[in-house]
Amino acid sequence: MHAATYVGAKTLTVIEREPELPGFGEAQIEVAYTGICGTDLHILHGDMDARVTMPAVLGHEMSGTIVAVGEGVEDWSAGDLVTVMPLVWDGTCPACRAGYNHICHNLDFLGIDSPGSMQASWTVPQDVLVALPPGLSLERGALPSLPRLQSMTCAALRCVKARRRWLSAADRSAF
C-alpha cells in the first residue's frame, strides 16, 4: 500500500509498506480522507524534527471505514464509518493515575509519535475510534469541523505544552 512519509529536509515521499493487521483491541481502517493540519505543516517545515522519528507517516485528521477488527474489540465492526481522537495515554504514569490523562507523561499523539493516517490502511487502538454521525460524508468527516473532537484534541495539546512550561519540577513529579 502507499504511505506519504516525512523523511526530513522538508521532504515527503510516497513509499510502499505492508498494511498492519489489527492486533488485540485494534481496528484496521481503510483511510478515505486525511486533512493536513498545522501540526503536519510544522513537521514538514522541520520544526519538530527533534520529536518525530523518521521516516514518519503523518496525519491524524481523517475519516475512513473499518475493514477489520482484532480480538477483544467491542462495539466496532467492519463497515463502520469513523474518525479518531488521535491521543493515546498510557494510564500508568503519575498524571494518568491522578486522573489527568490529558497531560500523560507518555502521551502518544498518533501521526506524530507513531504512524498516522497518510496511508491507505491504518491500524489504531479501538479506544481512539469515534463514529461519524449518520449522514455525515467521509469527506466532511475528515475535517476538523467536528467541534467537540477538535476542541478536545487542541485542549489536550495545550495542556501537554503547558505542563512543560509552568509546572515546577516538584509539580511535574506529582503528575
Side-chain angles (χ1 to χ4, degrees), residues 2-174:
H2 293 335
T5 306
Y6 174 66
V7 294
K10 300 180 181 181
T11 304
L12 281 176
T13 186
V14 176
I15 64 167
E16 284 293 319
R17 63 185 280 171
E18 290 297 316
E20 183 182 337
L21 297 176
F24 186 86
E26 295 179 327
Q28 184 181 26
I29 304 168
E30 178 181 285
V31 178
Y33 295 93
T34 294
I36 298 173
C37 82
T39 304
D40 298 320
L41 292 175
H42 283 296
I43 293 169
L44 180 60
H45 292 144
D47 299 335
M48 297 179 68
D49 283 359
R51 178 173 176 177
V52 176
T53 302
M54 293 171 259
V57 179
L58 307 180
H60 56 270
E61 293 179 358
M62 60 74 63
S63 65
T65 305
I66 294 177
V67 293
V69 295
E71 284 187 51
V73 172
E74 299 175 8
D75 302 321
W76 300 103
S77 58
D80 290 344
L81 304 182
V82 296
T83 187
V84 299
M85 172 62 168
L87 303 173
V88 179
W89 36 82
D90 70 3
T92 64
C93 73
C96 288
R97 288 194 316 268
Y100 301 105
N101 55 357
H102 60 287
I103 57 171
C104 175
H105 294 190
N106 302 300
L107 183 68
D108 176 8
F109 193 115
L110 303 178
I112 298 172
D113 303 314
S114 59
S117 61
M118 289 188 188
Q119 54 186 321
S121 175
W122 191 28
T123 298
V124 298
Q126 70 175 337
D127 296 339
V128 305
L129 295 170
V130 177
L132 292 182
L136 185 69
S137 70
L138 286 170
E139 182 177 19
R140 291 190 179 241
L143 299 175
S145 61
L146 297 171
R148 182 175 295 171
L149 181 64
Q150 181 187 23
S151 64
M152 290 187 307
T153 302
C154 292
L157 282 176
R158 283 192 296 275
C159 288
V160 168
K161 289 177 183 175
R163 80 158 191 238
R164 292 185 175 106
R165 280 190 293 232
W166 58 267
L167 291 179
S168 68
D171 288 337
R172 281 192 294 269
S173 68

